[in-house]
Every structure is written in structure tokens, then in C-alpha cells.
Amino acid sequence: MFQEFYSHCKRNEYWQPNQKILLAISGGVDSMVLLKLMEIAAQKDQLTIAVAHVNHQLRVESESEAAYLKRYCHEQGISYYSKKWQALNKEKNTEARARQFRYEFFAEIMEIEKYPKLLTAHHNDDQAETILMKLTRGSALTNLVGIRAKQSFAKGELIRPLLIFSKEYLEQFAKKSSIVYFEDSTNQSDDYLRNRMRHQVIPVLKKENQQFLYHITNFSEQIALADELIQSVMEPKYKQWVEKKSDHWTIQISELTQEKKSIQYYFLMYLFQQTLVPEGVIINQKHIQQFLTLIEQSAPQLAMDIEQDWQIIKEYDTVCLKKKSSKQEGKERFLDINAPVFLSENEWLAIEIVGKEIEQPEAVKNWQDFSLLINSQTLLPLVIRHRKDGDRIALTPMLTKRLNRIFIDRKTPNFIREQAWVILSADQNIIWVPKFVNSYLSIPKETDKILYRLLYKIKE
């Protein structure tokens, strides 16, 4: 078995000679076989291996198993790292929480001790269980790839070199090699879906077809290749249609709506994977279908809520992914000479006397800027607020226009209208809406000796 294992690892370049490798070892048959195989590989390639073990404290036997593993590593000259899961309530969502705790511990060791590789003992039966569980629960195509043999993790790589072997094959090797291992009694309980798959479903499928595990592996590989193809098609479209702003994403949908349904569907899958999923938002098939329905509607402006206060907002040929605004309607702020204000984390506003530039904070110096010269007759301090219903701006001595009409004429999305700032003189005349329009009242006359300059900066 070792030669098959070693050839597989070298062929896939899982490590290079003289590297440091961290092994996730539970004490079960799978991980103890991995430890044995890697001890032999370490001698061949001058590897430095170490063991990371988590005691979940879910069984009485856990302490003695951890003690054996620690003693074994000491006798073999292998570095040993361990940690106990001290959570008070371990009854809810046990598997997922325990897994998160383990991998956070592994990542911590890798970073502190500079291990570029983490190897786990997942095998072919684990792959079958995982794929069947995802099919049962309902899952996107990308997730049906199952357990990946190699992926990025922490600041290095997570590798599963035993995926080519069945559980039965590992058990036979352990028995033949007299490897000491421990049985986890919780694996016998059918309280967990994975165990029910392991005990009740997979044996039936294996009996139905002895090549079942081989077919599952082949299926996973085909899905991985299909996913790779989809990603290669969607990535350039994402770069063309999607723009990342400081606190939201905008998507141009005019071309997307002309594409086939298959392109639309997988583009949205890719879009969410690149945007909201890293934000911790759980996306399901319902969200995809709602998004597709939304962009098909003829109405120029529509919106839908998704998880964790995020919204999908359609505005003409643009869709925005953003969090619900928490701004307070009608709240006013004031601005005076040499007293700049941060309007938000991404916006800064100041008024200065021309020729006497105000000192800008280092953080805003590279932000996009917009400026407006105003006459010395403008009453200070200026008033800053968001727009209100009925707001009008004087474009000429004879023409005033509603701000809402200006936004409509420009096809300005509602979420941008809500974020726009309105700047008024102290006597409540609107003089400027940064990035949109300014009043004739602000235009300096030739006879003015002192001019003010309004400076608006935004982090796009």
C-alpha cells in the first residue's frame, strides 16, 4: 500500500523533499494509517512531520487516547500539538462546531510553526458520504465536487492523500501492519446524518454495485472538471459586468439578460460566491430563482431582501448588492470654514478659502474628489442632509427643478438617490448635490474678492 500511496502523492506534488508537514490525527484507523505512511515517506524525502490532535471531550476514552498519541509521538521523535474543546454546550450542531474548532486550531499551528501543508485522513467512503449528504440536503453543483484532494487553507494547503483508498482497504492495512488505533463510539450512533449514510445507505449501494465507490470518485472528478469549465467562462463575465464599490457591488445586467438561461444561472452562482458568500451570507436555490425573476421583470426599479439585511436592488440596467441603509432621515449636519466632517466611513467634506488649502487627513488623500467654488455671499455655516420630498434647486434665476426629477432624468438608482448629500446655505437654499448638480446661487460673481471652495471626497 505504501508504494501506491507514495506514488500518488509524488505524482500530484503533495510535498517536496525537506518540507514541514502537519498531520491531523484523531487516533482512529484512518488517521493512524496516515501517520504510519507519512513516517515512512518522511524517511524517504527527509520530511519533518508533526501531529495535531483535538480532544473533543465527548467520550470518556478521549483522555487515554490523547495520552497514547502523545506518548507515541514522543517515542518516535514527532512534534505533538494538542488542544481540548472546552465549549459548555456541545449538544447543538455538534459536528459543524467541532469541525470549525479543529480547523481553527490547525490553522493556528500552521501559522505559528510555519507548516505549509496540512494532511487529513479523509478516504473514499468519506467522499461517498459527503456527496450523498449534499444530494440529500440539496446543494449547488460546485459543492457536489465533494471533498477536494487539495485546496488552499490558512497560509498553505490542505491535502487529503487517502481519497483513493476505501475504508476497508485502510482497515486491512492497519491489521496487517499491527497499527494501534481507537474506535470512536460516537461513530456507531445514528443520531448523525453522516452515520446513517455510513450504516444504512452506503452498504446497500455497495451491495448493489461493488464499483460504487469508484463511480462516486469518478462522479466527483467529473463535477470538478465541469466546475472548472464553468468558472473559466464566468470569470471574464464577472470582471466585465461587476464593479466592487466600498460597501456594495454593482452589476450591469443589459448583456446578462440577453444570455441563455444556463449562462444566467451559473453567472449568478459565481457572482454570489465572489461577493456575499465570503461575507457569511448563506445563499440557496431560492435566492438564485428570485434574482432571475427580478431581472426578467420590465419594471425599472425592483428590490428583494435576502439574508442578514442584504438586498438585491434592480435600477434600470443595473443591479446592486448592498446592505440596508441605516441612515436617519432628516438628520442635519453643519459645515464651516476649516471644520471638515466625515459624512460616512467613505465620504469627507470640507470648505476652505481659496488659496488657503485645508490639511486633508492621510486616509482621504487618494479618494476621488469633487469640488465647487461658491461666492462669498453664501451664508455659513452650510447645512448638510439627505434629500427630502419636495426639494428643489434653482438652476437659473427663472428655473427651479425638483431634485427627484433630476435623478429620474439621469436614471439614477434609488439607492444612490438615498445616499446623495444635499448641501444648503444657512438660509436653507440648496447650493450643491455633490456629483449631480449645483445651483446658480453658488456661482461666484466677478466682483467677489473672496471665494470659497467646497471639497467632497469619496472612496469608490
Side-chain angles (χ1 to χ4, degrees):
M1 178 181 179
F2 172 74
Q3 194 54 51
E4 186 178 358
F5 167 81
Y6 184 75
S7 297
H8 170 69
C9 293
K10 298 299 285 187
R11 183 168 57 252
N12 288 282
E13 298 181 339
Y14 287 164
W15 64 72
Q16 299 298 324
N18 303 301
Q19 275 194 316
K20 295 177 66 176
I21 297 177
L22 183 65
L23 308 177
I25 306 298
S26 67
V29 61
D30 321 323
S31 64
M32 294 305 286
V33 167
L34 175 64
L35 177 56
K36 186 64 175 181
L37 294 173
M38 287 304 299
E39 286 183 76
I40 303 172
Q43 293 178 353
K44 289 179 67 70
D45 287 346
Q46 293 76 53
L47 304 173
T48 300
I49 62 172
V51 165
H53 174 74
V54 172
N55 180 354
H56 296 101
Q57 301 189 101
L58 296 172
R59 298 175 293 114
V60 175
E61 305 90 346
S62 297
E63 292 294 336
S64 59
E65 293 170 5
Y68 171 82
L69 195 55
K70 181 179 181 180
R71 184 169 65 252
Y72 177 87
C73 290
H74 177 72
E75 292 171 353
Q76 302 301 319
I78 299 172
S79 296
Y80 176 76
Y81 306 94
S82 66
K83 192 170 186 178
K84 293 182 178 180
W85 188 30
Q86 303 283 9
L88 296 178
N89 181 6
K90 298 181 180 179
E91 295 181 359
K92 294 184 178 179
N93 203 19
T94 306
E95 283 187 290
R97 291 169 57 215
R99 184 185 187 281
Q100 181 179 357
F101 181 84
R102 285 197 304 275
Y103 280 90
E104 287 176 353
F105 174 53
F106 300 152
E108 180 183 348
I109 297 171
M110 290 176 71
E111 183 171 355
I112 295 174
E113 302 296 337
K114 309 302 180 187
Y115 285 95
K117 310 279 186 177
L118 170 67
L119 270 59
T120 67
H122 292 90
H123 48 74
N124 212 338
D125 288 69
D126 290 326
Q127 182 74 284
E129 293 164 11
T130 298
I131 290 176
L132 289 175
M133 287 168 61
K134 290 182 175 181
L135 283 170
T136 301
R137 290 169 170 166
S139 188
L141 182 69
T142 299
N143 294 330
L144 291 180
V145 172
I147 303 172
R148 296 180 184 270
K150 181 164 62 174
Q151 66 187 73
S152 297
F153 177 73
K155 293 185 178 180
E157 288 183 316
L158 169 57
I159 298 168
R160 286 119 171 176
L162 300 185
L163 285 177
I164 61 172
F165 302 115
S166 68
K167 173 87 168 186
E168 183 181 4
Y169 192 36
L170 297 179
E171 290 174 337
Q172 291 172 355
F173 177 78
K175 183 177 181 180
K176 182 179 179 180
S177 304
S178 301
I179 295 174
V180 176
Y181 63 89
F182 302 93
E183 291 286 356
D184 186 342
S185 58
T186 62
N187 287 337
Q188 304 308 314
S189 170
D190 281 350
D191 291 342
Y192 305 113
L193 175 60
R194 182 174 291 278
N195 286 353
R196 293 195 294 274
M197 288 290 179
R198 181 178 301 160
H199 301 149
Q200 301 174 24
V201 178
I202 291 180
V204 175
L205 294 173
K206 284 182 177 179
K207 186 177 180 180
E208 188 70 28
N209 189 331
Q210 294 182 355
Q211 297 298 309
F212 168 70
L213 291 182
Y214 168 77
H215 293 318
I216 279 286
T217 299
N218 189 38
F219 173 76
S220 179
E221 290 173 352
Q222 289 184 48
I223 294 295
L225 291 173
D227 184 58
E228 183 179 320
L229 176 61
I230 291 169
Q231 303 294 317
S232 69
V233 173
M234 296 306 145
E235 183 179 6
K237 295 184 182 297
Y238 178 87
K239 291 180 178 179
Q240 178 183 352
W241 297 339
V242 181
E243 184 177 1
K244 174 71 170 74
K245 302 292 186 177
S246 58
D247 59 353
H248 66 275
W249 291 267
T250 58
I251 304 98
Q252 301 301 320
I253 61 170
S254 56
E255 292 184 34
L256 174 63
T257 54
Q258 303 303 312
E259 296 279 4
K260 296 178 180 178
K261 292 298 182 184
S262 57
I263 295 291
Q264 293 181 13
Y265 180 87
Y266 284 111
F267 173 77
L268 296 184
M269 290 289 297
Y270 187 86
L271 170 70
F272 284 131
Q273 288 293 331
Q274 300 300 313
T275 56
L276 298 189
V277 171
E279 296 286 333
V281 181
I282 298 174
I283 298 297
N284 56 39
Q285 296 299 308
K286 179 186 70 174
H287 296 133
I288 301 291
Q289 294 303 325
Q290 287 178 333
F291 200 130
L292 288 171
T293 301
L294 181 140
I295 64 176
E296 288 173 353
Q297 300 300 307
S298 58
Q301 301 194 42
L302 294 169
M304 59 173 272
D305 293 339
I306 47 179
E307 306 297 323
Q308 300 174 32
D309 291 329
W310 284 87
Q311 290 181 304
I312 299 173
I313 303 171
K314 177 190 174 186
E315 307 275 4
Y316 302 100
D317 290 333
T318 301
V319 167
C320 175
L321 301 181
K322 67 184 291 290
K323 276 207 165 184
K324 291 182 180 179
S325 174
S326 59
K327 73 178 183 66
Q328 299 179 26
E329 297 294 339
K331 182 179 179 181
E332 294 185 347
R333 307 177 71 170
F334 298 94
L335 181 71
D336 214 333
I337 299 171
N338 295 325
V341 295
F342 275 94
L343 301 174
S344 69
E345 292 182 358
N346 307 308
E347 297 169 288
W348 181 83
L349 182 68
I351 182 173
E352 62 187 11
I353 299 173
V354 172
K356 296 182 180 180
E357 293 186 0
I358 194 170
E359 180 66 25
Q360 298 181 23
E362 193 66 33
V364 312
K365 287 184 177 178
N366 293 323
W367 293 3
Q368 186 177 3
D369 62 70
F370 301 85
S371 63
L372 177 73
L373 291 176
I374 60 176
N375 59 46
S376 58
Q377 304 304 311
T378 302
L379 296 181
L380 304 179
L382 300 181
V383 178
I384 311 159
R385 60 168 170 79
H386 289 290
R387 70 184 180 93
K388 297 178 181 178
D389 290 341
D391 274 344
R392 304 184 73 91
I393 187 168
L395 301 179
T396 72
M398 302 299 294
L399 174 65
T400 64
K401 197 168 187 178
R402 292 180 60 183
L403 290 185
N404 192 47
R405 186 72 254 171
I406 292 174
F407 287 133
I408 291 172
D409 291 344
R410 294 190 177 200
K411 294 186 175 181
T412 304
N414 276 334
F415 78 93
I416 295 181
R417 301 181 199 180
E418 293 172 0
Q419 294 173 350
W421 293 99
V422 177
I423 301 175
L424 308 88
S425 61
D427 54 355
Q428 294 296 306
N429 288 310
I430 296 177
I431 62 172
W432 192 29
V433 182
K435 300 175 65 176
F436 293 99
V437 64
N438 66 279
S439 167
Y440 90 94
L441 297 172
S442 67
I443 301 173
K445 300 180 177 62
E446 293 182 4
T447 56
D448 282 338
K449 294 182 180 180
I450 301 176
L451 300 179
Y452 299 123
R453 178 174 177 258
L454 276 171
L455 179 62
Y456 170 77
K457 304 200 73 169
I458 183 169
K459 181 182 180 182
E460 293 283 1

